[in-house]
Amino acid sequence: MTQHFPDNFLWGTATASYQIEGASDVDGRGVSIWDTFSKTPGKVVNGDTGDVACDHYNRFAEDIEIMKDLGVKAYRFSIAWPRLFPAGDDVREERGFAFYNRLIDALIAADIEPMVTLYHWDLPQALEDKGGWANRSIVDAFAKYAKACAEAFGDRVSNWITLNEPWCVSWLGYSNGVHAPGKKDFSLAIAAAHHTALSHAAASRAIKSVRPSAQVGITLNMTNNNIEDHNDPEVLAFAQLSDENLNRWWIDAFLTGKYPQNLLDTYGDLQKDVIKAGDADLLKVQTDFLGINYYADGFVRSARPEDKPYIEGGFMPFPQRVDTSAPADLANSLTAMGWVVTPHGLGNLVTRVHKTWPEIPYLMITENGSSYEDVVLNGEINDVERTDYLNRHLESLQKAVADGVPVKGYFAWSLLDNFEWAEGYAKRFGIVYVDYQTLKRTPKSSAKRFKEIVSTNGL
Ligand code: NOJ
């Protein structure tokens, strides 16, 4: 039986500026925190940087041709803040604006709808020097930047994502330090979590002030925590805290202006003075859609003797002792990232989100995809596992949509192999292979399969 998606389902591919653009010191671009971080020895595998990446800055016309051939209707990309405002202040770099104008115009000419992410992790270094997302002054700076983007591009761009994965920005950037700026301090992470939520609201209002009909959302990395031991209070407490910390924080903020009280109690003194009187009014904002990035489910079960209180790992300030390792039956088919493959999780997640927050008008899968070690054979890449991952996740999504969950689009991560943050170029997520020596692009089998799915609007 053919499984179809609704008419007008928005099929797309996704990328992010620092991961693909390269041209890091061209046309007046300022330094971002990822330039600094990737050039700090020991932070990124093989010392890789985004200096050249896929050279999309110079090759975007070719990349649009590839998308045209795939038949996708939309392209999600991000704007590099330091290209437009190199020092993160009010001083504009017109060559940066000109680049995104060229890109947007070329997309429209190819009949591909641009979907813009304003922040996909490349903060101007000058702002980080003032404390970055942990300093409340970022909220105003981000709203001004968002407004400038809406003014410049909003005549042609109607879909906006304020921030990509603010959980990663906050917790990977400021708590366990595996991402830029590499700080390790729970209270900075909590401050960043609050300031990203305030920034989403402030930027949404700023965009709407100049483009009232724009669709504005936020993209969160979400998952399901599968509880394996329902009788263990530590497991239940941990699962609830993780859900609040990862999934609910930003959603509750824009819907209600408040954060989960249980989580605030756990943060205790760590969050003292961060949230100010009156912030509830600032946090609450009309959000037109929720973008979801989904990769894999999580698991939590009773602690093994070797499991220490979670807080001791220095990542989350949670005192529980639990085991979050991959279940045995999934552990032998991990992706190259070491992530489990749980396709039913995508359908379960969107169903749960819609049930829990029916007031969110619609959802978009803004990222989903997998990393595997690709083999080039006679110039072809037969990525069976990635293709299988794609098929199975879309089957799961289609069922949920057919059951009435309002998901309006799906963006494959990623159009191209690219700079996978702390993993550098060692991990490939593209449906199109990139030879980093020659920068030649070759669509993999998964791209051919995606093309088929897009053209038939089904599986
Ligand atoms: C989510 C991030 O938004 C993206 O930048 C990253 O490459 C993928 N996950 C894969 O890890």
Side-chain angles (χ1 to χ4, degrees), residues 225-237:
N225 243 325
N226 295 279
I227 299 172
E228 297 194 353
D229 299 294
H230 282 274
N231 296 324
D232 181 339
E234 291 214 66
V235 166
L236 297 180

Side-chain angles (χ1 to χ4, degrees), residues 359-421:
E359 60 272 56
I360 298 175
Y362 63 95
L363 313 176
M364 285 272 193
I365 306 305
T366 42
E367 283 181 33
N368 172 242
S370 56
S371 174
Y372 287 103
E373 274 170 37
D374 292 319
V375 180
V376 187
L377 200 66
N378 302 324
E380 298 197 353
I381 302 96
N382 189 15
D383 56 339
V384 180
E385 291 156 307
R386 187 177 293 101
T387 307
D388 188 53
Y389 181 102
L390 176 72
N391 280 325
R392 292 170 67 201
H393 282 76
L394 283 174
E395 269 170 34
S396 162
L397 182 66
Q398 190 278 338
K399 286 198 192 97
V401 175
D403 285 344
V405 181
V407 180
K408 281 210 188 167
Y410 174 95
F411 290 73
W413 184 270
S414 177
L415 173 65
L416 304 169
D417 290 334
N418 60 44
F419 177 81
E420 177 53 25
W421 308 114

Side-chain angles (χ1 to χ4, degrees), residues 15-16 19 76 120-121 164-165 168 219 221 293 295 337 339 367 413-414 418-421 429:
T15 64
Q19 295 183 272
R76 172 181 178 232
H120 202 130
W121 305 357
N164 177 71
E165 301 193 348
C168 292
T219 279
N221 48 306
N293 291 352
Y295 288 89
M337 294 295 280
W339 300 345
E367 283 181 33
W413 184 270
S414 177
N418 60 44
F419 177 81
E420 177 53 25
W421 308 114
F429 273 91

Side-chain angles (χ1 to χ4, degrees), residues 143-172:
K144 282 189 181 150
Y145 158 65
K147 188 173 178 196
C149 289
E151 277 166 347
F153 312 122
D155 54 336
R156 288 152 293 153
V157 172
S158 35
N159 293 308
W160 299 87
I161 291 163
T162 54
L163 294 112
N164 177 71
E165 301 193 348
W167 181 89
C168 292
V169 172
S170 310
W171 292 95
L172 302 182

